[in-house]
Amino acid sequence: MNDSEEKTTGASFAEVGEVIANHQSFVIMSHVRPDGDAIGSQIALGFSLMALGKTVFLVNEDGVPESLEFFKGSGKVTTPPSAPLDVEVAIALDTATKPRLGEGALHAASKAKVWVNIDHHVSNPAYGDLNVIDATSPATGQIIYGLIKALDFPMPDETRDAIYVAVSTDTGSFQYGSTTAKTYEMAADLICCGLDVGKINADTYDNNPFRKLELMRALLNTLEISDDGKLAHWELREATRIELDLQPDDSEGLIDLIRGVKGVLVAAFFEELEGGKIRVSMRSKDKGVNVCDVASRFGGGGHTLAAGIRMVGPLEDARAKVLAALAEALNTEK
Ligand code: 5GP
Ligand code: MN
């Protein structure tokens, strides 16, 4: 299945609205190593529910990365408390599989009676009691916008700004093919509601720590490209991470540099994680080369054109296996 095919699983916004109306306490979570769509969706829905008078906990296994601390309301997002929270409802946002919420977050949410799963990953197996899976949406933030509008929920400034950043970061600044007329209409509406476009884009994109450029330099030194020029990849070793004192989100978005090379159809990034696991990040420029399918073969997932894997190392082995699978996918390009 590719991103253009409709795959909305399960619940309507009205059903989610009923669950919200019938309960008072909520924990809202998103995936480990959160990106702008993950944290943005949590803040967006969380502040809207708080404005309705609900008790809301915003929990992320890894907390808010430095690059997303500029979000209004980011201080409300915490790492998981050690004891389970007294909440009735758990809401998972932008999280393709339940374990990707992280063990601590799952423990924190373990007293919840009802699970709501809102996501745009085509590979999401619908693990909630209520599932709103819209793989046609470019970002979970856009689904949250639709939910808030459909249910006539409040749109405080934190929610307005968080939706914009969530969608901007997941669409490569409103550039990817997944961006629809609805996306632009939504952005226009948020601007009409008072969003400061210049400031929010500067906060999002012109605020990189210098070490991110040092990382870019280190990655470029490992860059390799296949003989046919279609598959480019680079890698990050633990030694470099330690030497440059890198944060997990420093590599966010850098893969777009190799994806952007003329002739390249697939870009891959291999990263040694603490503890020996390997993180693989993949991007495709061609819907005929489905990197989500490749990721699924190794226990990962994501979208047709952007997917990821956590797999056992060492890096050499993981890289050889994934590059072989990508070469095969490129050779059988539909
Ligand atoms: P990124 O390369 O930016 O980390 O992730 C690209 C996409 O793949 C995101 O939508 C992300 O949620 C998904 N993804 C990344 N890593 C994994 C993984 O280990 N498992 C699954 N199921 N999805 C992943
Ligand atoms: Mn997303």
Side-chain angles (χ1 to χ4, degrees), residues 35 37 94 120-121 139-140 170 303:
D35 56 11
D37 192 26
D94 197 43
H120 69 130
H121 291 97
T140 301
D170 251 28
H303 312 279

Side-chain angles (χ1 to χ4, degrees), residues 158-172:
E158 291 89 348
T159 298
R160 177 198 66 199
D161 288 8
I163 289 172
Y164 184 91
V165 176
V167 177
S168 175
T169 51
D170 251 28
T171 54

Side-chain angles (χ1 to χ4, degrees), residues 273-322:
L273 300 177
E274 238 169 307
K277 274 212 158 184
I278 307 301
R279 169 179 177 248
V280 187
S281 185
M282 296 177 287
R283 298 290 183 273
S284 169
K285 258 165 139 171
D286 179 343
K287 282 194 171 165
V289 187
N290 185 334
V291 286
C292 184
D293 282 351
V294 173
S296 303
R297 283 171 53 180
F298 300 99
H303 312 279
T304 307
L305 301 181
I309 318 167
R310 300 281 173 290
M311 58 197 287
V312 291
L315 189 139
E316 289 74 11
D317 293 356
R319 185 182 57 197
K321 285 180 196 155
V322 173

Side-chain angles (χ1 to χ4, degrees), residues 31-54:
H31 59 81
V32 294
R33 280 185 78 133
D35 56 11
D37 192 26
I39 296 291
S41 296
Q42 282 185 272
I43 292 175
L45 184 59
F47 277 78
S48 186
L49 295 194
M50 283 186 259
L52 280 173
K54 304 291 180 182

